[in-house]
Amino acid sequence: MKSIGKILFFAFFILSMFLLKPRQDVVFEAIDVSQYIKLFEEDRDFVLCIDENGIFTGTYSILADTVFLSYKEQLESSMAPTALRQSAFQTLPKKLYIDESASKIESSDGQLFTAEISLDMREKSYEATAYSPSELESYRAQILAIVGIK
């Protein structure tokens, strides 16, 4: 009987590790003392906590350095009364601006949300790429060969 109990405990432990592990698809994360935001790659989900009053979820879209938030639901928080959670839901930021030079994200629509960027894994295809001199010579030679100039 002890071995069956150990096997069941081990199976429960392994199963709970897989079910309770944090999401690994974080694209962007910003944290402050009492608030944070995490943007996830899968389904373009986000989790937002404002002033410890509650945790909100939804989907996001990014255009350049502006994050647009669309809220789905509020996760229950035992710390905040229902009326306080409702008022917080009414005043949530809808648009956040990412200021990479200051390593901050802040609301740009008058709401009070500011946090320091701790992780930024967004694709930055619009950034200029620095080439080495040998790469530049190689590209120059290819262009000249196509044009027919020697």
Side-chain angles (χ1 to χ4, degrees):
M1 280 305 237
K2 286 186 177 185
S3 63
I4 293 174
K6 287 181 182 179
I7 291 172
L8 287 175
F9 177 73
F10 181 71
F12 175 75
F13 179 73
I14 296 297
L15 183 62
S16 65
M17 282 182 53
F18 285 111
L19 292 176
L20 299 177
K21 78 175 190 175
R23 290 181 68 170
Q24 301 297 314
D25 62 335
V26 176
V27 174
F28 183 86
E29 183 176 60
I31 300 172
D32 194 31
V33 174
S34 62
Q35 52 195 10
Y36 66 86
I37 186 167
K38 289 183 182 182
L39 306 179
F40 300 102
E41 184 176 15
E42 187 177 325
D43 297 331
R44 302 190 70 78
D45 292 333
F46 74 86
V47 175
L48 175 74
C49 175
I50 294 187
D51 297 327
E52 300 175 354
N53 287 336
I55 299 174
F56 304 91
T57 62
T59 57
Y60 71 92
S61 61
I62 296 180
L63 181 62
D65 283 339
T66 305
V67 180
F68 298 93
L69 304 175
S70 174
Y71 296 93
K72 286 184 193 172
E73 63 183 86
Q74 175 185 7
L75 302 177
E76 289 300 319
S77 172
S78 60
M79 303 274 298
T82 306
L84 189 57
R85 287 195 311 251
Q86 267 314 82
S87 67
F89 194 72
Q90 301 282 328
T91 60
L92 292 173
K94 308 281 188 284
K95 189 169 40 168
L96 301 173
Y97 175 70
I98 300 171
D99 186 0
E100 291 180 5
S101 62
S103 291
K104 289 175 118 179
I105 184 169
E106 53 193 2
S107 57
S108 58
D109 55 1
Q111 307 303 325
L112 301 175
F113 180 85
T114 302
E116 288 190 34
I117 299 170
S118 61
L119 176 70
D120 191 355
M121 304 286 291
R122 295 176 296 141
E123 291 182 25
K124 299 178 182 174
S125 59
Y126 54 85
E127 284 187 9
T129 306
Y131 294 104
S132 68
S134 62
E135 287 177 313
L136 288 175
E137 276 303 312
S138 170
Y139 291 131
R140 184 171 185 257
Q142 289 173 2
I143 291 170
L144 293 177
I146 291 172
V147 175
I149 302 174
K150 295 184 181 183

